[in-house]
Amino acid sequence: MSVLAFASPLATVAGTMPVLLMFSGKTAPGIYIITTVMLLIFSAGFVKMSRSVENPGGFYSFVTAGLGKSAGLGGAFLALIGYLCIGFFAPSFFAVTLQGFVTNTLNGPEIPWYWYAIAITAATTFLAYCRIDLSAKVLTVAMILEVVTVVAYDVASFAASDERVAHGIGFSMPWLTDSGVGVALLFAIGNFLGFEATVIFRDEVKSPDRTIPRATYLAVAGIGVFYVVAAWAYIAFLGADRAQGAARADTVGLFNNSAGQLLGTVFTDAVTALLLTSVLATMLSTQNIAARYSFSLAQDGALPKTLGRVHHRHRSPYVSALTIGAVWTVATVVFAVAGTAPDSIYPIASGSGTFSVLLLMFIVSLAVLVHFLRRRRENPEALWNTVLAPAISMLFLGGVTYLAIINYSELIGGSTLMTVIFMAFTFALFIGGMLYALFLRKKRPAVYAKLGRERV
């Protein structure tokens, strides 16, 4: 449920999917199929690595095991800041959505957006502070409601039969030469981020060697099928030859307007309410992941030890969770004082964070491949999990990373100057982490020896 919450199914179907349709049209379901298959291949090496490296550091531990401690620490910084940025899209997005609902639908008072943003940050921080099973219960309820809502839309869309049938209700697979396929693929893979959580919670689940593989494969396959059907439902309603034009003409309101035609205004009001809980769920999931990265780095001595404290009753990394909530709150206040429009914050935050995690996934694929190739002479294992799957996923993620670099301005919705600044900052995180690790090796060898969540 934590992985599904990070994927934010309703927010994706209502918010991101119309953008993908704008670039891909009738090939959108095919793009989700390709992405699902490739990430299942990535998961084969990922799951195998989770059994070989039995540490809860997630990608941090994997990169360390495959490429060394310096690269591992660089990867950890990419992950921590990447998830911090991804999570920070939620307060402003939540604020804009709720503000519009209160003012326009409920005819309520005009409350400044930053109060809504601070309120949701306080709520997720409280839940992240508590035991992980409390977060799981909240996420479970939110996800069930979201899934039911989207399934209702899917059923209504496929059941509708009128002139749209003449325009086609099927979809086609994309070609590399198709216009916009690169950007569409980039947005699609961004909808799957977060399944790393299955490894990060290793120390907090029973029978991790059984639980982690099941959760990983179920998450990737389940999310993939869910998105394929939802994208196909859009095409079934709009018509295959009309879908791209409709998405371009009404990107923001495509889901609500089509749902209103199919199921009525009461349903669209319910969608708006559930969209708010969807944002809360994805923010909570992101905060839990980021808190555990901060906790892991603190446990290893790379960050202040205070961040590595565990609550005596909740058994949660409560200081790290509180710190992340404080960072988001301060950032909200800073942007509010600076007069920044909230709707300009969330594309930059989510886009830059997505690129950081995508770059890290490419590095992880390389690390998994190197790790098992190094061990192959002494301990030969299944060729698929240890060599072929990591190699295929490395090529695929390398290609997507390249697409992200050349389309970065589309990803963050910013200018050329912003593109250069944020991309330089992302690569500086990885390089800076490597340099910091070299400093620790020279000045604090005991800390350096523990990097990667290694028990020494």
Side-chain angles (χ1 to χ4, degrees):
M1 286 298 170
S2 182
V3 175
L4 187 59
F6 189 102
S8 190
L10 182 57
T12 296
V13 172
T16 307
M17 200 168 285
V19 177
L20 188 142
L21 283 164
M22 183 173 63
F23 288 106
S24 62
K26 63 183 178 181
T27 63
I31 287 174
Y32 277 118
I33 290 173
I34 292 171
T35 305
T36 302
V37 171
M38 287 300 174
L39 289 180
L40 284 171
I41 293 173
F42 173 86
S43 298
F46 176 81
V47 166
K48 185 67 177 177
M49 194 71 167
S50 73
R51 289 173 171 164
S52 178
V53 182
E54 296 181 352
N55 297 331
F59 288 163
Y60 168 39
S61 296
F62 291 1
V63 176
T64 301
L67 302 178
K69 296 179 183 295
S70 295
L73 191 56
F77 284 174
L78 271 179
L80 177 58
I81 302 302
Y83 284 122
L84 269 174
C85 290
I86 291 174
F88 187 59
F89 103 91
S92 56
F93 184 78
F94 176 88
V96 170
T97 305
L98 183 56
Q99 188 181 49
F101 185 69
V102 169
T103 304
N104 301 326
T105 304
L106 302 180
N107 296 318
E110 291 191 15
I111 300 173
W113 70 270
Y114 46 82
W115 289 117
Y116 292 119
I118 292 173
I120 190 177
T121 303
T124 59
T125 300
F126 168 75
L127 291 169
Y129 175 92
C130 297
R131 289 180 62 90
I132 190 63
D133 55 356
L134 176 59
S135 293
K137 292 173 183 176
V138 172
L139 295 176
T140 299
V141 173
M143 289 307 98
I144 289 173
L145 292 173
E146 287 186 53
V147 169
V148 168
T149 300
V150 176
V151 169
Y153 172 81
D154 293 346
V155 171
S157 180
F158 286 116
S161 58
D162 51 25
E163 78 280 358
R164 287 185 296 273
V165 176
H167 294 273
I169 61 172
F171 64 88
S172 57
M173 297 300 291
W175 294 90
L176 289 175
T177 54
D178 289 350
S179 175
V181 69
V183 180
L185 188 62
L186 184 57
F187 275 98
I189 198 171
N191 298 156
F192 285 80
L193 299 184
F195 62 89
E196 179 198 1
T198 58
V199 172
I200 289 176
F201 297 119
R202 183 181 185 89
D203 282 355
E204 302 172 69
V205 298
K206 297 177 181 178
S207 306
D209 285 342
R210 184 175 70 250
T211 302
I212 290 172
R214 289 180 179 178
T216 302
Y217 287 124
L218 280 173
V220 175
I223 291 170
V225 171
F226 184 83
Y227 287 158
V228 169
V229 175
W232 192 5
Y234 267 118
I235 292 170
F237 175 74
L238 299 169
D241 59 349
R242 291 177 173 180
Q244 190 166 16
R248 287 174 175 169
D250 186 23
T251 308
V252 175
L254 189 65
F255 182 80
N256 274 12
N257 291 335
S258 58
Q261 293 180 51
L262 288 167
L263 298 164
T265 56
V266 174
F267 181 83
T268 58
D269 289 341
V271 167
T272 302
L274 288 173
L275 184 59
L276 296 173
T277 63
S278 174
V279 174
L280 184 146
T282 191
M283 186 175 174
L284 173 58
S285 177
T286 310
Q287 190 164 1
N288 279 327
I289 294 174
R292 278 149 185 83
Y293 262 110
S294 173
F295 169 81
S296 292
L297 288 168
Q299 286 278 301
D300 288 355
L303 290 181
K305 290 184 178 180
T306 304
L307 295 171
R309 290 182 181 176
V310 177
H311 195 280
H312 69 282
R313 182 161 60 91
H314 296 303
R315 308 305 300 165
S316 62
Y318 72 105
V319 177
S320 284
L322 291 173
T323 301
I324 290 166
V327 169
W328 284 340
T329 301
V330 170
T332 299
V333 172
V334 168
F335 281 113
V337 171
T340 307
D343 54 2
S344 67
I345 296 174
Y346 56 79
I348 295 174
S350 61
S352 58
T354 297
F355 178 69
S356 295
V357 178
L358 178 61
L359 177 60
L360 178 58
M361 288 177 66
F362 167 69
I363 296 170
V364 169
S365 294
L366 175 61
V368 172
L369 179 61
V370 171
H371 174 75
F372 286 115
L373 284 176
R374 189 186 299 130
R375 294 176 11 138
R376 193 153 189 82
R377 289 183 181 178
E378 301 174 359
N379 186 22
E381 298 177 271
L383 190 66
W384 168 248
N385 289 28
T386 60
V387 177
L388 295 179
I392 293 171
S393 63
M394 184 184 71
L395 292 173
F396 171 71
L397 291 169
V400 176
T401 302
Y402 170 75
L403 291 173
I405 291 172
I406 63 176
N407 294 286
Y408 196 84
S409 59
E410 297 263 11
L411 186 63
I412 66 170
S415 63
T416 302
L417 178 61
M418 290 177 60
T419 297
V420 172
I421 291 172
F422 278 93
M423 190 176 295
F425 175 71
T426 302
F427 283 101
L429 281 173
F430 184 70
I431 296 170
M434 294 182 69
L435 294 175
Y436 181 39
L438 295 176
F439 167 80
L440 292 175
R441 185 174 66 178
K442 184 176 181 180
K443 299 293 185 180
R444 301 174 64 188
V447 172
Y448 179 81
K450 291 170 62 179
L451 293 180
R453 299 306 312 273
E454 294 190 18
R455 278 59 166 171
V456 295

